[in-house]
Amino acid sequence: MENVSLIRWHSMFMGVALLAAARSKDARKRNGACVVSPDNKIAGVGYNGLPRGCCDDDPAYWSDDDSDPLHSRHSYIVHAEVNAILNCVVLPLTGFTIYATQFPCPKCVQSIIQVGIRRVIYLEKKPHQARVNEASLKMLNDAGVAVESLADVEPDSAQWSTELASFIASSTSGVAPQ
């Protein structure tokens, strides 16, 4: 039998999160997440988007006036991490890992901790969100949840994932979502 080069687990799971992100209709930032069991089985996948039944064509859902909750997309969007958790077919997720394209916000971290996820691996971290990231990190540390950058865990997988993200972005630019 010939040796076949296999994709690394970290690359595969972050790749799934990146592909899920490509389904997001959020023009500002498309995020994805993938929940994985300790034995490397995908339990749930999600992206940032509106709750079921809410019309993507309604401009009110995509407004960016954060001073008015009625006209702020942040009032409506379900984050990728929460969607991935809600899409899981099993609970609790004790000992599972979540791969996220973006460092999780405090609300997502609350859900991550509550369902028993023990490890977070992220691709990017918004530097301008330093205080928000610190709040997330405080909860993760206090709850004993490991949080790591993919670049620190496996640099080759981070590089591969970054290249995949660029490919997806170039392949989906100007394509109308279905």
Side-chain angles (χ1 to χ4, degrees):
M1 184 167 163
E2 185 179 322
N3 277 347
V4 177
S5 181
L6 299 175
I7 189 172
R8 297 170 186 252
W9 286 118
H10 293 299
S11 296
M12 182 173 127
F13 300 135
M14 191 59 75
V16 168
L18 287 163
L19 288 170
R23 288 293 310 156
S24 174
K25 294 176 181 143
D26 189 336
R28 299 254 334 236
K29 182 65 179 161
R30 300 165 86 185
N31 288 313
C34 179
V35 177
V36 180
S37 70
D39 60 345
N40 293 323
K41 292 188 175 40
I42 295 173
V45 176
Y47 57 88
N48 57 322
L50 296 175
R52 286 188 182 105
C54 296
C55 180
D56 288 320
D57 297 328
D58 184 339
Y61 289 130
W62 303 105
S63 299
D64 275 323
D65 182 0
D66 288 338
S67 68
D68 179 1
L70 183 63
H71 294 102
S72 171
R73 72 192 227 296
H74 294 103
S75 295
Y76 304 111
I77 300 279
V78 180
H79 288 191
E81 299 89 338
V82 172
N83 255 335
I85 290 166
L86 293 172
N87 288 331
C88 286
V89 294
V90 297
L91 285 176
L93 301 173
T94 307
F96 283 48
T97 298
I98 189 166
Y99 289 79
T101 58
Q102 190 73 46
F103 190 85
C105 74
K107 288 290 187 192
C108 291
V109 165
Q110 293 167 0
S111 294
I112 288 166
I113 292 168
Q114 285 299 97
V115 297
I117 290 173
R118 303 305 299 159
R119 187 177 188 198
V120 175
I121 298 178
Y122 66 91
L123 186 59
E124 299 175 337
K125 186 188 264 188
K126 293 180 181 175
H128 67 281
Q129 295 282 347
R131 297 293 286 171
V132 171
N133 293 341
E134 286 177 33
S136 291
L137 194 55
K138 176 180 178 21
M139 284 188 285
L140 291 164
N141 287 337
D142 288 352
V145 176
V147 58
E148 303 164 277
S149 157
L150 183 57
D152 291 339
V153 173
E154 200 168 85
D156 290 346
S157 290
Q159 177 64 35
W160 183 89
S161 296
T162 301
E163 290 171 13
L164 177 61
S166 294
F167 173 77
I168 292 169
S170 68
S171 298
T172 59
S173 63
V175 176
Q178 299 286 331

